[in-house]
Amino acid sequence: MYYHETFNAIRDDALVKLTRRLPEVVYAVVGANDGTRGDPLYKHTADPKWRGTLFEPLPGPFEGLKSAYAERPRAVLRNQAVVADAPGGPRKFYNVPFSTTNSSFRRDVIVKHKTAPGFEHVEEQLVEVDVACLAIDEWIAEPGFAVPDVFLTDTEGYDHTLFEVWWARGWRPAFVEIEVIHLAEAQKQAIRDALDAAGYEIFWSVTDIYALRKDAFDPADLALYRLMRDQSLAILGLMNMIETERRQRAVNPSGPTAG
């Protein structure tokens, strides 16, 4: 919990500072859901300097998105998924009707939730639906397109596939956040390696990676963020060690036996 709070606090401060530095903040969210559920950008998009595009392919969450952004005229809402390869058009998508957060192009990501309470029969309950899709290259070709300053993807396991394409197109947002919880370790590491080589400061949790392009932020702020991150990780490590020892002593109160 301690590190999670620090993770969120650094992100919020960085986005506030970025807003002050830029004349306008262009943003994009892929997998926006209803605009508020687990979305770290929502409170920032209310700033009149923010102009963006939010993609959500499912009709139920999209209705929530329209409601959440009804008073934000600088937000363009699109009832589509973003895909890596062209052409876009309709594609099969896996959805769980009783959940608004478990939908994906990857069936295996949905099925693995069957170990969670309430999802025991998810494999039989998920349905295939057709969703409208827009390929990244089609998006780039649209009139008025601009590479976002702030870019977030939350696509339940499709994030690395998208990353490979938009990264190859030369996008280098000032702030980027990527959901990684459903990715293989090699994919997570590939994203981190690419960001690190391109001059980003990286922050990570179990579910997400976000990164700050160093030339877009004040060096003193970055130094503070690094200190906060590293100290929080050290405290988290110490707390885990203490908890491990506590559990061991609960099993063996007398401690280890001398050899």
Side-chain angles (χ1 to χ4, degrees):
M1 181 61 70
Y2 180 80
Y3 177 71
H4 181 73
E5 292 173 353
T6 302
F7 181 85
N8 291 340
I10 293 171
R11 175 174 53 204
D12 284 340
D13 190 74
L15 289 171
V16 169
K17 298 286 179 58
L18 186 66
T19 303
R20 292 174 185 168
R21 289 172 67 93
L22 296 179
E24 179 183 62
V25 180
V26 178
Y27 71 96
V29 180
V30 176
N33 202 281
D34 67 1
T36 61
R37 190 185 299 270
D39 188 340
L41 302 185
Y42 183 67
K43 60 186 173 184
H44 299 282
T45 61
D47 192 293
K49 291 176 72 174
W50 282 55
R51 172 176 65 88
T53 306
L54 299 99
F55 294 88
E56 172 50 50
L58 293 175
F62 188 71
E63 288 302 312
L65 184 65
K66 289 195 293 185
S67 177
Y69 276 80
E71 303 299 322
R72 300 185 185 184
R74 303 200 77 201
V76 176
L77 311 181
R78 301 182 64 156
N79 192 195
Q80 296 171 297
V82 176
V83 292
D85 56 318
R91 298 196 186 185
K92 294 294 183 183
F93 197 69
Y94 297 99
N95 183 38
V96 181
F98 61 85
S99 171
T100 62
T101 58
N102 289 290
S103 57
S104 177
F105 286 114
R106 290 181 50 186
R107 187 178 188 277
D108 64 301
V109 167
I110 305 303
V111 170
K112 75 178 184 180
H113 286 86
K114 64 185 179 182
T115 58
F119 285 82
E120 293 85 355
H121 305 290
V122 69
E123 194 164 2
E124 295 80 33
Q125 293 168 308
L126 66 82
V127 296
E128 287 187 13
V129 296
D130 287 326
V131 297
C133 298
L134 179 74
I136 288 177
D137 286 342
E138 294 170 337
W139 184 15
I140 292 171
E142 292 182 343
F145 171 81
V147 174
D149 303 300
V150 173
F151 188 41
L152 184 150
T153 68
D154 185 347
T155 63
E156 305 299 309
Y158 192 62
D159 301 81
H160 180 259
T161 302
L162 288 177
F163 175 83
E164 288 188 312
V165 177
W166 65 257
W167 190 259
R169 300 299 180 269
W171 297 18
R172 299 295 184 270
F175 172 95
V176 59
E177 181 156 354
I178 302 165
E179 184 186 51
V180 297
I181 189 171
H182 302 300
L183 302 184
E185 287 302 319
Q187 293 174 324
K188 296 177 189 179
Q189 191 60 52
I191 291 172
R192 288 177 61 170
D193 288 347
L195 291 167
D196 183 63
Y200 282 81
E201 194 69 50
I202 305 168
F203 302 82
W204 58 92
S205 69
V206 172
T207 59
D208 291 78
I209 287 173
Y210 67 78
L212 314 177
R213 202 185 71 226
K214 293 177 184 178
D215 65 354
F217 294 87
D218 187 284
D221 289 329
L222 290 172
L224 176 61
Y225 299 154
R226 281 192 295 269
L227 179 63
M228 292 172 65
R229 177 197 63 199
D230 295 346
Q231 286 187 340
S232 296
L233 285 171
I235 292 171
L236 179 63
L238 180 60
M239 291 172 66
N240 288 338
M241 289 174 59
I242 293 172
E243 177 63 16
T244 298
E245 183 176 353
R246 185 191 68 79
R247 291 177 180 175
Q248 290 174 342
R249 288 194 174 277
V251 175
N252 182 15
S254 61
T257 302

